[in-house]
């Protein structure tokens, strides 16, 4: 990863100084998805269950958690894994000394799991962490036998560093609830995706409605901005309990609600595999969305 200096590649946004992708770090062969959304909205739950759904369809899946909490994959692996940054620090950043089993772990139904981690608080750049993780995976030839890569990205951050997964992704997915805060965050994330799309191949896939009985506000926003709703997951207690049990929804007891949610994840995976036509979404200005979502 390098910093754009404006000499060779135009910046992603006016006045921006962005972390740029080294062409040698490009992920080739696999379909790559980046999952974004407001903090606490259920990105990791969505990512892990989507990874499980892809694996159920017979695909070789790699999930990469991009959050210093490194809790993206624990429902797949049943444990908190060491991060790439942790294990690199142990060998003084001599990556050639690492073994695959030091940083990659097999989870539910063969899903491979990596936790990128993050720099110490207040220091470093999340883009550097993502870049080092991809370099390490390529160095060990771990992307050559992978069909699907899912980046589960830290919420609420749309700076150059944490937008770095968008440089690798084919499609970006936004997870949102049917409320003001998560739709407001989604609007800003869509702007970040559009900015990255100027220089990279990433396209917005659409929004996954999560933890919501209804989708009226999400749909109203989607219609106004040109977005597409890809799936809807209600606020099920079984999903909350699956996190407590450290497992995916596919391992929970069969109930009509659980089976319906599993089917929705399978349908979402199929939709993404089929390559849905990317919407041309135009985000609102902050004040405009405030007025749009407010009511008397």
């Amino acid at each position: 990863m390098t910093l754009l200096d404006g000499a060779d590649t135009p910046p992603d946004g006016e006045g921006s100084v962005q972390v740029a992708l080294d062409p040698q770090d490009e992920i080739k062969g696999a379909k790559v998805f980046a999952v974004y959304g407001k903090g606490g909205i259920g990105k990791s739950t969505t990512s892990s269950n989507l990874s499980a759904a892809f694996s159920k369809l017979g695909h070789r899946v790699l999930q990469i958690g991009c959050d210093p909490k490194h809790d993206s994959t624990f429902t797949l692996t049943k444990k908190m894994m060491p991060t790439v940054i942790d294990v690199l620090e142990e060998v003084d950043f001599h990556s050639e000394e690492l073994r695959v089993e030091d940083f990659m772990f097999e989870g539910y139904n063969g899903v491979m799991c990596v936790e990128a981690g993050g720099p110490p608080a207040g220091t470093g750049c999340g883009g550097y962490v993502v870049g080092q993780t991809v370099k390490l995976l390529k160095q060990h030839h771990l992307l050559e036998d992978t069909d699907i890569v899912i980046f589960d990205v830290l919420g609420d951050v749309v700076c150059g560093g944490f937008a770095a997964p968008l440089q690798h992704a084919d499609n970006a997915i936004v997870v949102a609830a049917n409320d003001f805060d998560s739709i407001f965050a989604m609007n800003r994330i869509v702007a970040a995706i559009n900015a990255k799309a100027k220089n990279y191949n990433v396209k917005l896939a659409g929004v996954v409605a999560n933890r919501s009985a209804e989708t009226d506000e999400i749909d109203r926003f989607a219609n106004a901005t040109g977005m597409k709703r890809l799936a809807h997951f209600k606020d099920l207690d079984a999903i909350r309990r699956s996190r407590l049990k450290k497992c995916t929804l596919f391992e929970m007891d069969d109930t009509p609600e659980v089976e319906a949610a599993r089917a929705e994840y399978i349908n979402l995976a199929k939709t993404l595999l089929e390559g849905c036509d990317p919407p041309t979404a135009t985000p609102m200005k902050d004040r405009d969305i405030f007025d749009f979502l407010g009511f008397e």
Side-chain angles (χ1 to χ4, degrees):
M1 309 287 282
T2 57
L3 287 177
L4 291 173
D5 58 10
D8 300 316
T9 307
D12 300 335
E14 183 178 354
S16 67
V17 179
Q18 300 282 2
V19 177
L21 173 66
D22 186 331
Q24 294 183 347
D25 295 340
E26 183 180 355
I27 298 175
K28 299 179 180 178
K31 289 187 71 68
V32 184
F33 302 98
V35 180
Y36 282 84
K38 178 184 176 296
I41 203 59
K43 293 181 300 301
S44 294
T45 301
T46 300
S47 297
S48 296
N49 284 313
L50 183 57
S51 289
F54 278 126
S55 75
K56 289 287 189 180
L57 293 173
H59 295 281
R60 299 165 298 182
V61 186
L62 167 64
Q63 182 169 319
I64 302 174
C66 305
D67 190 323
K69 297 197 309 295
H70 60 98
D71 62 346
S72 171
T73 60
F74 80 86
T75 58
L76 292 162
T77 62
K78 312 298 185 285
K79 61 183 176 183
M80 295 288 281
M81 302 188 330
T83 71
V84 167
I85 293 301
D86 288 340
V87 297
L88 280 172
E89 284 181 338
E90 290 176 3
V91 295
D92 199 24
F93 288 87
H94 294 293
S95 60
E96 69 278 1
E97 297 183 19
L98 293 180
R99 303 166 300 170
V100 173
E101 55 267 30
D102 292 331
F103 60 88
M104 177 178 277
F105 298 83
E106 184 172 345
Y108 171 73
N109 205 39
V111 175
M112 302 309 296
C113 303
V114 173
E115 292 285 354
T123 66
C125 175
Y128 168 80
V129 174
V130 171
Q132 289 300 306
T133 299
V134 173
K135 284 182 179 179
L136 192 60
L137 293 170
K138 295 195 75 169
Q139 179 180 321
H140 288 270
H141 307 285
L142 297 174
L143 295 171
E144 295 171 7
D145 295 323
T146 302
D147 302 319
I148 305 289
V149 177
I150 295 179
F151 285 98
D152 173 20
V153 189
L154 173 69
D156 292 331
V157 181
V158 291
C159 67
F162 282 100
L166 295 173
Q167 301 178 45
H168 296 283
D170 298 300
N171 291 109
I173 303 159
V174 185
V175 181
N178 199 46
D179 60 38
F180 177 91
D181 290 335
S182 59
I183 295 174
F184 189 91
M186 172 167 58
N187 187 66
R188 295 182 63 83
I189 291 166
V190 170
I193 295 166
N194 287 351
K196 284 295 179 187
K198 294 178 181 178
N199 289 318
Y200 300 96
N201 293 324
V202 64
K203 298 291 186 293
L204 174 67
V207 57
V208 171
N210 194 47
R211 294 182 178 174
S212 300
E214 305 296 338
T215 64
D216 54 329
E217 293 302 321
I218 288 175
D219 293 339
R220 195 164 69 90
F221 172 80
N223 290 334
T225 57
M227 285 192 71
K228 179 188 299 182
R229 176 160 58 85
L230 301 170
H232 175 204
F233 299 99
K234 296 184 178 182
D235 190 8
L236 299 181
D237 190 58
I239 296 178
R240 179 190 65 82
R241 287 188 287 109
S242 72
R243 295 283 289 179
L244 295 173
K245 289 177 174 289
K246 303 178 181 64
C247 70
T248 68
L249 198 61
F250 290 86
E251 299 163 87
M252 295 293 285
D253 292 339
D254 294 341
T255 67
E257 286 184 330
V258 167
E259 290 175 350
R262 288 176 190 156
E264 185 77 342
Y265 273 112
I266 293 289
N267 287 335
L268 174 59
K270 289 179 178 178
T271 296
L272 294 170
L273 285 170
E274 289 168 0
C276 50
D277 292 332
T280 303
T282 304
M284 300 180 185
K285 298 292 186 181
D286 286 351
R287 179 164 295 281
D288 291 339
I289 192 172
F290 185 85
D291 293 338
F292 178 81
L293 292 173
F295 57 88
E296 299 296 334

